[in-house]
């Protein structure tokens, strides 16, 4: 691995912060249908932030995303992993990142409470994202550029192929990467000129029709033509009415996606999406339980709308090879960019488009790097690929999220883009930030 001279030092401290934004107040992100059980009824978009410090005075800022309650569990899990990284020589880490990634995600005792999924995996993501941010800052590059400038062999060194080689071997991954080397510079130039296509989430279930129409019209006035709306109401007719409204507003040429947030059983998903087919949704995201691979396979056969994958929740080759038509990566539910690169490589092998979702705090910041490196170095494709954009909470980050119309532009600042403004932390740190202290003491 080629490393710059500034990439040196040992990790001497890890700071963990629980940061929560009160998005439940305006029901952003809510799919509350009035039933006794909702999937995401009152989310407060939240982050567990991990800040790495080296003995040279350098810092890396990483995070993982939750919906509020339980954020403290992730924070404690990060603290349980901290002793693993304290004392690490970062030059050694980044020279053998695949090995050190495995040390974090597969620690011999802690992995028992995973393994490689759930709370402990999301906690690992915060630390690994912080390592990527630290490395990119020291190299003076945004993360997407750091990775896309690597040789195929260097990218391979970032990865651990354990439990995957029956579907993706090191040799196959290297071949995929080598195919993209020749025109890397052309694709990078193209991204700087036109960006990467995005869509905007406009229609949460609890939005009244008048407000939904207002959001859609406002977005269209800004140049947006691609939208995702939520489905999964208690009554099918409510979903029908909402999606009909969206189609009316965006017109016959607008691109529409729908997302059920895993609400339905398999046959129910088939029936409910079939009933919406006249509105021509491009895909249905998470129609059923995330790890029901056979259910997703049945969904694929049962309707004329593309079902999206469960790869947001783990690097599961069985899902990619048999159950899905596209991959909706989540940048925080897997253990950092190393695992995401593996998912991108498997998607490339199976000719599956990757369309990251990013409906939470900090997710847009990270996926803006993922889509750039995927196009430049891995898939070489962006036709009929769209990455989610959510138009809120970006003001809390130091680095600007650069958009051009309805396209993501390549991030310019060194790092991964997830360093919070300290003024935002002062306000929304839980439970002692100004907002939460006032609310709790009221």
């Amino acid at each position: 691995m080629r490393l710059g001279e500034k990439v040196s030092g040992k990790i001497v401290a890890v700071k963990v912060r629980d940061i929560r934004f009160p998005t439940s107040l305006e029901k952003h992100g809510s799919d509350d249908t009035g039933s006794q059980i909702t999937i995401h009824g009152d989310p407060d978009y939240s982050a567990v932030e991990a800040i790495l410090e080296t003995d040279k005075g350098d810092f890396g800022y990483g995070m993982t995303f939750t919906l509020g309650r339980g954020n403290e569990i992730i924070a404690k899990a990060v603290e349980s992993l901290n002793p693993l990284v304290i004392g690490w020589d970062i030059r050694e880490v980044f020279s053998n990142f695949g090995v050190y990634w495995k040390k974090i995600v597969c620690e011999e005792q802690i992995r028992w409470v995973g393994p490689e999924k759930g709370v402990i995996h999301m906690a690992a993501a915060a630390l690994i994202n912080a390592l990527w941010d630290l490395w990119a800052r020291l190299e003076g590059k945004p993360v997407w550029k750091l990775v896309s400038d690597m040789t195929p062999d260097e990218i391979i060194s970032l990865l651990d192929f354990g439990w995957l080689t029956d579907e993706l071997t090191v040799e196959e991954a290297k071949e995929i990467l080598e195919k993209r080397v020749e025109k890397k510079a052309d694709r990078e130039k193209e991204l700087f000129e036109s960006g990467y296509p995005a869509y905007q989430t406009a229609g949460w279930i609890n939005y009244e029709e008048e407000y939904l129409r207002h959001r859609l019209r406002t977005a269209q006035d800004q140049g947006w033509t691609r939208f995702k709306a939520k489905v999964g109401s208690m009554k099918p007719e409510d979903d029908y009415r909402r999606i009909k409204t969206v189609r009316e507003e965006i017109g016959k040429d607008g691109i529409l996606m729908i997302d059920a947030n895993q609400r339905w059983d398999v046959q129910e998903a088939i029936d409910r999406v079939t009933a919406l087919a006249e509105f021509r949704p491009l895909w249905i995201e998470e129609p059923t339980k995330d790890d029901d691979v056979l259910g997703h396979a049945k969904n694929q056969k049962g309707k004329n709308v593309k079902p999206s994958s469960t790869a947001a929740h783990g690097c599961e080759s069985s899902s990619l090879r048999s159950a899905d038509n596209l991959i909706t990566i989540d940048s925080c539910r897997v253990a950092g960019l190393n695992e995401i690169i593996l998912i991108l490589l498997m998607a490339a092998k199976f000719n599956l488009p990757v369309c990251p979702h990013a409906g939470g705090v900090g997710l847009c910041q990270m996926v803006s790097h993922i889509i750039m490196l995927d196009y430049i170095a891995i898939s070489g494709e962006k036709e009929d690929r769209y990455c989610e954009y959510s138009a809120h909470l970006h003001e809390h980050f130091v680095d600007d999220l650069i958009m051009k119309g309805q396209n993501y532009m390549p991030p310019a600042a060194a790092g991964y883009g997830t360093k919070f403004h300290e003024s935002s932390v002062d306000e929304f740190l839980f439970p002692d930030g100004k907002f939460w202290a006032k609310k709790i003491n009221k």
Side-chain angles (χ1 to χ4, degrees):
M1 179 66 70
R2 295 165 296 166
L3 297 172
E5 292 182 2
K6 293 183 179 180
V7 182
S8 65
K10 293 185 177 182
I11 298 171
V12 295
V14 183
K15 186 176 184 178
V16 182
R17 301 196 290 196
D18 180 340
I19 304 166
R20 308 187 192 190
F21 301 96
T23 50
S24 62
L25 295 178
E26 296 181 342
K27 290 292 184 180
H28 296 311
S30 172
D31 61 4
D32 187 356
T33 62
S35 65
Q36 290 183 333
I37 299 176
T38 59
I39 303 298
H40 302 140
D42 62 343
D44 286 324
Y45 283 175
S46 302
V48 171
E49 182 186 35
I51 305 174
L52 304 180
E53 181 180 359
T54 75
D55 58 356
K56 300 291 185 70
D58 297 308
F59 295 87
Y61 302 84
M63 58 154 284
T64 194
F65 166 71
T66 81
L67 299 185
R69 290 185 296 276
N71 213 45
E72 71 281 3
I73 302 173
I74 303 284
K76 287 295 184 182
V78 176
E79 291 174 357
S80 73
L81 291 169
N82 287 352
L84 294 176
V85 304
I86 298 294
W88 278 4
D89 183 304
I90 61 171
R91 198 168 186 87
E92 174 64 22
V93 170
F94 299 137
S95 294
N96 303 276
F97 207 170
V99 172
Y100 281 86
W101 178 87
K102 188 76 166 185
K103 288 178 182 289
I104 294 175
V105 303
C106 204
E107 199 280 334
E108 59 204 51
Q109 293 186 12
I110 296 175
R111 76 176 298 270
W112 187 259
V113 295
E116 292 86 57
K117 62 177 68 70
V119 166
I120 201 64
H121 216 51
M122 294 170 68
L127 283 175
I128 293 162
N129 290 336
L131 284 167
W132 276 105
D133 184 74
L134 173 63
W135 187 5
R137 287 175 181 274
L138 291 172
E139 297 282 12
K141 297 180 179 182
V143 160
W144 69 266
K145 179 66 171 169
L146 174 66
V147 179
S148 62
D149 280 350
M150 292 179 184
T151 67
D153 282 332
E154 287 174 329
I155 294 176
I156 294 296
S157 75
L158 306 171
L159 311 176
D160 177 81
F161 286 80
W163 304 305
L164 292 178
T165 53
D166 60 325
E167 292 297 335
L168 180 71
T169 66
V170 172
E171 292 74 23
E172 288 173 326
K174 186 175 179 179
E175 182 180 355
I176 291 167
L177 294 166
E178 287 176 339
K179 286 180 179 178
R180 302 302 174 204
V181 170
E182 183 179 354
K183 295 186 177 180
K184 270 187 180 182
D186 293 340
R187 290 191 293 275
E188 182 175 328
K189 181 181 178 182
E190 181 186 342
L191 288 171
F192 275 108
E193 291 172 350
S194 58
Y196 193 102
Y199 68 88
Q200 188 171 149
T201 295
W204 289 97
I205 282 179
N206 66 296
Y207 288 167
E208 298 292 337
E209 181 176 324
E210 182 178 350
Y211 181 59
L212 174 57
R213 290 186 185 275
H214 166 74
R215 284 177 61 91
L216 290 165
R217 291 170 184 173
T218 299
Q220 288 180 97
D221 288 343
Q222 297 168 350
W224 289 87
T225 62
R226 303 183 285 259
F227 299 93
K228 185 170 76 178
K230 298 292 180 175
V231 292
S233 300
M234 289 180 64
K235 299 178 180 179
E237 56 265 32
D238 290 339
D239 280 344
Y240 185 92
R241 182 170 56 252
R242 183 182 311 103
I243 302 307
K244 181 174 183 289
T245 296
V246 175
R247 178 54 74 190
E248 287 174 353
E249 289 294 333
I250 69 176
K252 63 182 179 62
D253 295 326
I255 295 176
L256 168 65
M257 303 84 163
I258 55 177
D259 180 2
N261 279 351
Q262 308 176 39
R263 176 173 291 276
W264 297 319
D265 287 342
V266 174
Q267 188 58 49
E268 183 182 15
I270 294 170
D271 295 342
R272 295 285 290 264
V273 175
T274 299
L276 300 173
E278 67 181 273
F279 303 117
R280 297 181 293 110
L282 179 62
W283 74 61
I284 168 67
E285 185 175 324
E286 295 186 331
T288 192
K289 189 70 176 68
D290 60 283
D291 56 1
D292 185 358
V293 176
L294 295 178
H296 280 272
K298 186 175 180 181
N299 276 329
Q300 186 184 51
K301 297 175 182 177
K303 54 184 178 292
N304 56 2
V305 179
K306 298 177 184 178
S308 80
S309 87
T310 62
H313 301 271
C315 196
E316 299 178 7
S317 62
S318 58
S319 173
L320 271 69
R321 74 170 176 264
S322 65
D324 303 298
N325 283 313
L326 61 99
I327 310 302
T328 52
I329 281 177
D330 185 307
S331 56
C332 286
R333 291 195 68 89
V334 296
L337 190 59
N338 312 62
E339 187 169 10
I340 287 171
I341 291 171
L342 278 169
I343 295 171
L344 295 175
L345 285 165
M346 286 202 294
K349 175 183 175 178
F350 295 118
N351 297 313
L352 293 170
V354 176
C355 301
H357 63 194
V361 64
L363 302 189
C364 290
Q365 280 67 24
M366 284 182 278
V367 298
S368 66
H369 292 265
I370 293 166
I371 54 180
M372 303 300 162
L373 71 89
D374 179 47
Y375 180 57
I376 295 170
I378 300 176
S379 73
E381 299 285 346
K382 61 176 181 174
E383 185 177 355
D384 293 329
R385 297 174 182 231
Y386 309 102
C387 181
E388 183 173 16
Y389 171 81
S390 297
H392 61 181
L393 301 177
H394 305 309
E395 68 274 13
H396 299 294
F397 294 94
V398 171
D399 297 330
D400 292 333
L401 183 67
I402 308 170
M403 302 293 294
K404 182 178 181 180
Q406 57 178 346
N407 296 310
Y408 279 96
M409 300 303 290
Y416 211 172
T418 53
K419 180 181 179 180
F420 285 99
H421 283 295
E422 285 304 310
S423 57
S424 295
V425 177
D426 290 344
E427 186 74 13
F428 297 109
L429 187 71
F430 188 88
D432 298 324
K434 296 175 184 176
F435 174 86
W436 294 110
K438 183 178 179 180
K439 183 177 177 64
I440 292 169
N441 293 328
K442 183 178 290 185

